[in-house]
Short mmCIF file of all heavy atoms in Angstrom, two decimals:
data_model
loop_
_atom_site.label_atom_id
_atom_site.label_comp_id
_atom_site.label_asym_id
_atom_site.label_seq_id
_atom_site.Cartn_x
_atom_site.Cartn_y
_atom_site.Cartn_z
N GLN A 170 0.82 -1.22 0.00
CA GLN A 170 0.00 0.00 0.00
C GLN A 170 0.85 1.27 0.00
O GLN A 170 0.64 2.15 -0.85
CB GLN A 170 -0.95 0.00 1.21
CG GLN A 170 -1.97 -1.12 1.23
CD GLN A 170 -3.14 -0.87 0.29
OE1 GLN A 170 -3.11 0.04 -0.53
NE2 GLN A 170 -4.17 -1.68 0.39
N PRO A 171 1.81 1.43 0.92
CA PRO A 171 2.61 2.67 0.89
C PRO A 171 3.38 2.84 -0.41
O PRO A 171 3.44 3.95 -0.96
CB PRO A 171 3.56 2.48 2.08
CG PRO A 171 2.87 1.51 2.98
CD PRO A 171 2.15 0.57 2.06
N ALA A 172 3.97 1.75 -0.92
CA ALA A 172 4.75 1.85 -2.16
C ALA A 172 3.85 2.17 -3.35
O ALA A 172 4.19 3.01 -4.20
CB ALA A 172 5.50 0.55 -2.40
N ALA A 173 2.70 1.51 -3.44
CA ALA A 173 1.80 1.70 -4.58
C ALA A 173 1.23 3.11 -4.61
O ALA A 173 1.28 3.80 -5.65
CB ALA A 173 0.67 0.68 -4.53
N PHE A 174 0.69 3.56 -3.49
CA PHE A 174 0.11 4.91 -3.45
C PHE A 174 1.19 5.97 -3.58
O PHE A 174 0.96 7.03 -4.16
CB PHE A 174 -0.69 5.11 -2.16
CG PHE A 174 -2.08 4.55 -2.24
CD1 PHE A 174 -2.36 3.28 -1.73
CD2 PHE A 174 -3.11 5.26 -2.84
CE1 PHE A 174 -3.64 2.76 -1.80
CE2 PHE A 174 -4.39 4.74 -2.91
CZ PHE A 174 -4.67 3.49 -2.39
N GLY A 175 2.38 5.69 -3.02
CA GLY A 175 3.47 6.65 -3.18
C GLY A 175 3.82 6.86 -4.64
O GLY A 175 3.99 8.00 -5.10
N TRP A 176 3.93 5.77 -5.40
CA TRP A 176 4.26 5.89 -6.82
C TRP A 176 3.14 6.57 -7.60
O TRP A 176 3.38 7.44 -8.42
CB TRP A 176 4.52 4.50 -7.41
CG TRP A 176 4.99 4.55 -8.83
CD1 TRP A 176 6.28 4.66 -9.27
CD2 TRP A 176 4.16 4.50 -10.01
NE1 TRP A 176 6.32 4.68 -10.65
CE2 TRP A 176 5.03 4.59 -11.13
CE3 TRP A 176 2.79 4.39 -10.22
CZ2 TRP A 176 4.56 4.56 -12.43
CZ3 TRP A 176 2.31 4.38 -11.53
CH2 TRP A 176 3.19 4.46 -12.61
N LEU A 177 1.90 6.17 -7.34
CA LEU A 177 0.76 6.73 -8.07
C LEU A 177 0.64 8.23 -7.84
O LEU A 177 0.44 9.01 -8.79
CB LEU A 177 -0.53 6.03 -7.64
CG LEU A 177 -0.72 4.59 -8.15
CD1 LEU A 177 -1.93 3.96 -7.46
CD2 LEU A 177 -0.89 4.56 -9.66
N LEU A 178 0.76 8.66 -6.58
CA LEU A 178 0.58 10.08 -6.29
C LEU A 178 1.77 10.91 -6.75
O LEU A 178 1.60 12.09 -7.10
CB LEU A 178 0.35 10.26 -4.79
CG LEU A 178 -0.99 9.71 -4.29
CD1 LEU A 178 -1.08 9.77 -2.77
CD2 LEU A 178 -2.15 10.49 -4.90
N ASP A 179 2.95 10.32 -6.79
CA ASP A 179 4.11 11.04 -7.32
C ASP A 179 3.90 11.43 -8.78
O ASP A 179 4.43 12.45 -9.24
CB ASP A 179 5.38 10.20 -7.18
CG ASP A 179 5.94 10.24 -5.77
OD1 ASP A 179 5.50 11.10 -4.98
OD2 ASP A 179 6.78 9.38 -5.44
N GLN A 180 3.14 10.62 -9.52
CA GLN A 180 2.88 10.94 -10.92
C GLN A 180 2.04 12.21 -11.05
O GLN A 180 2.14 12.93 -12.04
CB GLN A 180 2.14 9.78 -11.61
CG GLN A 180 2.77 8.42 -11.43
CD GLN A 180 4.27 8.41 -11.71
OE1 GLN A 180 4.70 8.75 -12.81
NE2 GLN A 180 5.05 8.04 -10.71
N THR A 181 1.23 12.48 -10.03
CA THR A 181 0.40 13.69 -10.03
C THR A 181 1.15 14.89 -9.48
O THR A 181 1.12 15.99 -10.06
CB THR A 181 -0.88 13.47 -9.19
OG1 THR A 181 -1.63 12.41 -9.76
CG2 THR A 181 -1.73 14.73 -9.16
N PHE A 182 1.86 14.71 -8.38
CA PHE A 182 2.51 15.83 -7.70
C PHE A 182 3.61 16.47 -8.54
O PHE A 182 4.05 17.58 -8.24
CB PHE A 182 3.09 15.37 -6.36
CG PHE A 182 2.03 15.02 -5.35
CD1 PHE A 182 2.21 13.94 -4.48
CD2 PHE A 182 0.87 15.76 -5.25
CE1 PHE A 182 1.24 13.62 -3.55
CE2 PHE A 182 -0.10 15.45 -4.32
CZ PHE A 182 0.09 14.38 -3.46
N GLU A 183 4.06 15.78 -9.58
CA GLU A 183 5.08 16.36 -10.44
C GLU A 183 4.55 17.51 -11.27
O GLU A 183 5.33 18.32 -11.78
CB GLU A 183 5.67 15.28 -11.35
CG GLU A 183 6.54 14.27 -10.60
CD GLU A 183 7.18 13.27 -11.53
OE1 GLU A 183 6.94 13.38 -12.75
OE2 GLU A 183 7.90 12.38 -11.06
N PHE A 184 3.22 17.61 -11.43
CA PHE A 184 2.68 18.70 -12.26
C PHE A 184 1.39 19.31 -11.71
O PHE A 184 0.90 20.32 -12.22
CB PHE A 184 2.43 18.21 -13.69
CG PHE A 184 1.35 17.16 -13.80
CD1 PHE A 184 0.03 17.53 -14.01
CD2 PHE A 184 1.66 15.82 -13.69
CE1 PHE A 184 -0.96 16.56 -14.11
CE2 PHE A 184 0.67 14.85 -13.78
CZ PHE A 184 -0.64 15.22 -13.99
N ALA A 185 0.79 18.71 -10.64
CA ALA A 185 -0.47 19.25 -10.13
C ALA A 185 -0.70 18.81 -8.70
O ALA A 185 -0.02 17.92 -8.19
CB ALA A 185 -1.63 18.77 -11.01
N GLN A 186 -1.66 19.46 -8.05
CA GLN A 186 -2.11 19.05 -6.73
C GLN A 186 -3.23 18.03 -6.88
O GLN A 186 -4.03 18.11 -7.81
CB GLN A 186 -2.59 20.25 -5.93
CG GLN A 186 -1.48 21.21 -5.54
CD GLN A 186 -0.45 20.56 -4.62
OE1 GLN A 186 -0.81 19.87 -3.66
NE2 GLN A 186 0.82 20.77 -4.92
N SER A 187 -3.27 17.10 -5.96
CA SER A 187 -4.29 16.06 -6.03
C SER A 187 -5.41 16.33 -5.04
O SER A 187 -5.17 16.56 -3.85
CB SER A 187 -3.65 14.70 -5.71
OG SER A 187 -4.65 13.70 -5.63
N MET A 188 -6.67 16.35 -5.55
CA MET A 188 -7.84 16.42 -4.69
C MET A 188 -8.37 15.00 -4.57
O MET A 188 -9.02 14.48 -5.48
CB MET A 188 -8.90 17.36 -5.28
CG MET A 188 -10.12 17.50 -4.39
SD MET A 188 -11.27 18.79 -4.96
CE MET A 188 -10.34 20.26 -4.53
N ALA A 189 -8.07 14.36 -3.47
CA ALA A 189 -8.28 12.93 -3.34
C ALA A 189 -9.77 12.59 -3.16
O ALA A 189 -10.40 13.02 -2.19
CB ALA A 189 -7.49 12.40 -2.15
N ASN A 190 -10.30 11.82 -4.09
CA ASN A 190 -11.65 11.31 -4.00
C ASN A 190 -11.64 10.11 -3.05
O ASN A 190 -11.00 9.10 -3.32
CB ASN A 190 -12.15 10.89 -5.39
CG ASN A 190 -13.59 10.43 -5.38
OD1 ASN A 190 -14.08 9.88 -4.41
ND2 ASN A 190 -14.29 10.66 -6.48
N ALA A 191 -12.32 10.23 -1.92
CA ALA A 191 -12.28 9.19 -0.89
C ALA A 191 -12.71 7.84 -1.45
O ALA A 191 -12.09 6.80 -1.14
CB ALA A 191 -13.19 9.58 0.28
N GLU A 192 -13.75 7.82 -2.28
CA GLU A 192 -14.25 6.55 -2.81
C GLU A 192 -13.22 5.87 -3.70
O GLU A 192 -13.01 4.66 -3.61
CB GLU A 192 -15.55 6.75 -3.57
CG GLU A 192 -16.25 5.47 -3.94
CD GLU A 192 -17.67 5.67 -4.42
OE1 GLU A 192 -18.10 6.83 -4.52
OE2 GLU A 192 -18.36 4.67 -4.69
N ASP A 193 -12.55 6.66 -4.56
CA ASP A 193 -11.53 6.08 -5.44
C ASP A 193 -10.37 5.50 -4.65
O ASP A 193 -9.92 4.39 -4.91
CB ASP A 193 -11.00 7.16 -6.40
CG ASP A 193 -12.01 7.52 -7.47
OD1 ASP A 193 -12.98 6.76 -7.66
OD2 ASP A 193 -11.84 8.58 -8.11
N TYR A 194 -9.89 6.27 -3.68
CA TYR A 194 -8.75 5.81 -2.89
C TYR A 194 -9.07 4.53 -2.12
O TYR A 194 -8.30 3.57 -2.13
CB TYR A 194 -8.31 6.90 -1.90
CG TYR A 194 -7.39 7.94 -2.48
CD1 TYR A 194 -7.72 8.64 -3.63
CD2 TYR A 194 -6.16 8.21 -1.89
CE1 TYR A 194 -6.88 9.60 -4.16
CE2 TYR A 194 -5.29 9.16 -2.41
CZ TYR A 194 -5.67 9.86 -3.55
OH TYR A 194 -4.81 10.78 -4.08
N LEU A 195 -10.22 4.53 -1.47
CA LEU A 195 -10.57 3.38 -0.64
C LEU A 195 -10.92 2.17 -1.49
O LEU A 195 -10.67 1.03 -1.08
CB LEU A 195 -11.72 3.74 0.29
CG LEU A 195 -11.36 4.78 1.37
CD1 LEU A 195 -12.59 5.19 2.17
CD2 LEU A 195 -10.27 4.26 2.30
N ASN A 196 -11.50 2.40 -2.67
CA ASN A 196 -11.77 1.26 -3.57
C ASN A 196 -10.47 0.57 -3.97
O ASN A 196 -10.38 -0.67 -3.96
CB ASN A 196 -12.50 1.75 -4.83
CG ASN A 196 -13.98 1.96 -4.60
OD1 ASN A 196 -14.53 1.51 -3.59
ND2 ASN A 196 -14.63 2.66 -5.49
N ILE A 197 -9.46 1.36 -4.37
CA ILE A 197 -8.17 0.78 -4.74
C ILE A 197 -7.55 0.07 -3.54
O ILE A 197 -7.01 -1.04 -3.67
CB ILE A 197 -7.22 1.87 -5.27
CG1 ILE A 197 -7.74 2.42 -6.60
CG2 ILE A 197 -5.80 1.32 -5.44
CD1 ILE A 197 -6.92 3.58 -7.14
N TYR A 198 -7.65 0.70 -2.39
CA TYR A 198 -7.09 0.12 -1.16
C TYR A 198 -7.70 -1.25 -0.88
O TYR A 198 -6.99 -2.24 -0.66
CB TYR A 198 -7.37 1.08 0.00
CG TYR A 198 -6.72 0.71 1.30
CD1 TYR A 198 -5.60 1.40 1.75
CD2 TYR A 198 -7.21 -0.32 2.10
CE1 TYR A 198 -4.98 1.08 2.94
CE2 TYR A 198 -6.61 -0.65 3.30
CZ TYR A 198 -5.49 0.05 3.71
OH TYR A 198 -4.88 -0.27 4.90
N MET A 199 -9.03 -1.34 -0.93
CA MET A 199 -9.71 -2.60 -0.61
C MET A 199 -9.46 -3.66 -1.67
O MET A 199 -9.28 -4.85 -1.36
CB MET A 199 -11.21 -2.35 -0.43
CG MET A 199 -11.54 -1.56 0.83
SD MET A 199 -13.32 -1.33 1.13
CE MET A 199 -13.73 -0.12 -0.13
N LEU A 200 -9.43 -3.26 -2.94
CA LEU A 200 -9.17 -4.22 -4.01
C LEU A 200 -7.76 -4.79 -3.90
O LEU A 200 -7.54 -5.98 -4.15
CB LEU A 200 -9.38 -3.56 -5.37
CG LEU A 200 -10.83 -3.29 -5.77
CD1 LEU A 200 -10.89 -2.47 -7.06
CD2 LEU A 200 -11.60 -4.60 -5.95
N LEU A 201 -6.80 -3.95 -3.54
CA LEU A 201 -5.43 -4.44 -3.36
C LEU A 201 -5.37 -5.46 -2.22
O LEU A 201 -4.73 -6.51 -2.35
CB LEU A 201 -4.49 -3.28 -3.07
CG LEU A 201 -4.00 -2.46 -4.27
CD1 LEU A 201 -3.22 -1.24 -3.80
CD2 LEU A 201 -3.15 -3.30 -5.20
N GLU A 202 -6.02 -5.15 -1.11
CA GLU A 202 -5.99 -6.07 0.03
C GLU A 202 -6.62 -7.42 -0.32
O GLU A 202 -6.05 -8.48 -0.05
CB GLU A 202 -6.74 -5.44 1.21
CG GLU A 202 -6.04 -4.26 1.85
CD GLU A 202 -4.83 -4.66 2.66
OE1 GLU A 202 -4.74 -5.84 3.06
OE2 GLU A 202 -3.95 -3.80 2.92
N ILE A 203 -7.79 -7.38 -0.93
CA ILE A 203 -8.46 -8.63 -1.31
C ILE A 203 -7.65 -9.36 -2.37
O ILE A 203 -7.51 -10.59 -2.34
CB ILE A 203 -9.88 -8.34 -1.84
CG1 ILE A 203 -10.77 -7.79 -0.72
CG2 ILE A 203 -10.50 -9.60 -2.42
CD1 ILE A 203 -11.02 -8.74 0.42
N GLY A 204 -7.08 -8.61 -3.33
CA GLY A 204 -6.28 -9.22 -4.40
C GLY A 204 -5.09 -9.98 -3.86
O GLY A 204 -4.83 -11.12 -4.27
N PHE A 205 -4.38 -9.40 -2.90
CA PHE A 205 -3.21 -10.07 -2.33
C PHE A 205 -3.64 -11.22 -1.43
O PHE A 205 -2.97 -12.25 -1.37
CB PHE A 205 -2.35 -9.07 -1.55
CG PHE A 205 -1.31 -8.40 -2.40
CD1 PHE A 205 -1.64 -7.32 -3.19
CD2 PHE A 205 -0.01 -8.87 -2.44
CE1 PHE A 205 -0.69 -6.70 -3.99
CE2 PHE A 205 0.95 -8.27 -3.23
CZ PHE A 205 0.61 -7.18 -4.02
N GLY A 206 -4.77 -11.07 -0.73
CA GLY A 206 -5.26 -12.17 0.09
C GLY A 206 -5.58 -13.39 -0.75
O GLY A 206 -5.25 -14.53 -0.38
N ILE A 207 -6.23 -13.16 -1.90
CA ILE A 207 -6.56 -14.27 -2.80
C ILE A 207 -5.32 -14.82 -3.48
O ILE A 207 -5.14 -16.03 -3.61
CB ILE A 207 -7.60 -13.81 -3.85
CG1 ILE A 207 -8.92 -13.47 -3.16
CG2 ILE A 207 -7.82 -14.89 -4.90
CD1 ILE A 207 -9.96 -12.88 -4.08
N ALA A 208 -4.42 -13.93 -3.91
CA ALA A 208 -3.21 -14.37 -4.60
C ALA A 208 -2.35 -15.27 -3.71
O ALA A 208 -1.67 -16.18 -4.20
CB ALA A 208 -2.40 -13.17 -5.07
N PHE A 209 -2.39 -15.04 -2.41
CA PHE A 209 -1.58 -15.85 -1.50
C PHE A 209 -2.14 -17.27 -1.32
O PHE A 209 -1.55 -18.08 -0.59
CB PHE A 209 -1.47 -15.16 -0.13
CG PHE A 209 -0.26 -14.28 0.01
CD1 PHE A 209 -0.04 -13.25 -0.90
CD2 PHE A 209 0.65 -14.45 1.03
CE1 PHE A 209 1.08 -12.42 -0.79
CE2 PHE A 209 1.77 -13.64 1.15
CZ PHE A 209 1.98 -12.63 0.23
N GLN A 210 -3.26 -17.57 -1.99
CA GLN A 210 -3.77 -18.95 -1.98
C GLN A 210 -3.03 -19.81 -3.00
O GLN A 210 -3.21 -21.04 -3.03
CB GLN A 210 -5.27 -18.97 -2.30
CG GLN A 210 -6.12 -18.11 -1.39
CD GLN A 210 -6.01 -18.50 0.07
OE1 GLN A 210 -6.14 -19.67 0.43
NE2 GLN A 210 -5.75 -17.50 0.91
N LEU A 211 -2.21 -19.19 -3.85
CA LEU A 211 -1.51 -19.93 -4.90
C LEU A 211 -0.74 -21.15 -4.39
O LEU A 211 -0.80 -22.21 -5.02
CB LEU A 211 -0.56 -18.99 -5.65
CG LEU A 211 0.32 -19.64 -6.70
CD1 LEU A 211 -0.52 -20.09 -7.90
CD2 LEU A 211 1.44 -18.69 -7.15
N PRO A 212 -0.02 -21.06 -3.27
CA PRO A 212 0.73 -22.25 -2.82
C PRO A 212 -0.15 -23.47 -2.61
O PRO A 212 0.26 -24.59 -2.93
CB PRO A 212 1.35 -21.79 -1.49
CG PRO A 212 1.40 -20.31 -1.58
CD PRO A 212 0.22 -19.90 -2.39
N LEU A 213 -1.36 -23.27 -2.09
CA LEU A 213 -2.25 -24.42 -1.87
C LEU A 213 -2.70 -25.03 -3.18
O LEU A 213 -2.81 -26.24 -3.31
CB LEU A 213 -3.46 -23.98 -1.05
CG LEU A 213 -3.21 -23.75 0.44
CD1 LEU A 213 -4.46 -23.23 1.12
CD2 LEU A 213 -2.73 -25.01 1.11
N VAL A 214 -2.96 -24.18 -4.17
CA VAL A 214 -3.37 -24.69 -5.49
C VAL A 214 -2.26 -25.54 -6.09
O VAL A 214 -2.48 -26.68 -6.53
CB VAL A 214 -3.73 -23.53 -6.42
CG1 VAL A 214 -4.06 -24.05 -7.83
CG2 VAL A 214 -4.91 -22.74 -5.88
N ILE A 215 -1.06 -25.01 -6.08
CA ILE A 215 0.10 -25.73 -6.64
C ILE A 215 0.37 -27.00 -5.83
O ILE A 215 0.64 -28.08 -6.38
CB ILE A 215 1.35 -24.83 -6.64
CG1 ILE A 215 1.11 -23.57 -7.49
CG2 ILE A 215 2.55 -25.60 -7.17
CD1 ILE A 215 0.78 -23.84 -8.93
#
């Protein structure tokens, strides 16, 4: 989360200020968490 949001927001701060939409930020946050939780099931599948 810190690395991903850091990189994404750096792309904006180089030329503009970011007005953070709470829904967009939290949607990405939750999708990342669920995505990694599911991806970590790979060892059991293999």
Side-chain angles (χ1 to χ4, degrees):
Q170 297 282 11
F174 278 97
W176 185 88
L177 287 171
L178 291 173
D179 281 346
Q180 309 312 301
T181 299
F182 291 142
E183 289 183 1
F184 65 91
Q186 291 297 314
S187 174
M188 182 172 287
N190 184 328
E192 190 167 3
D193 288 344
Y194 275 54
L195 292 175
N196 280 346
I197 293 176
Y198 187 104
M199 291 183 287
L200 287 172
L201 280 173
E202 290 287 340
I203 294 296
F205 271 82
I207 294 174
F209 268 56
Q210 304 301 310
L211 176 70
L213 285 176
V214 176
I215 300 300

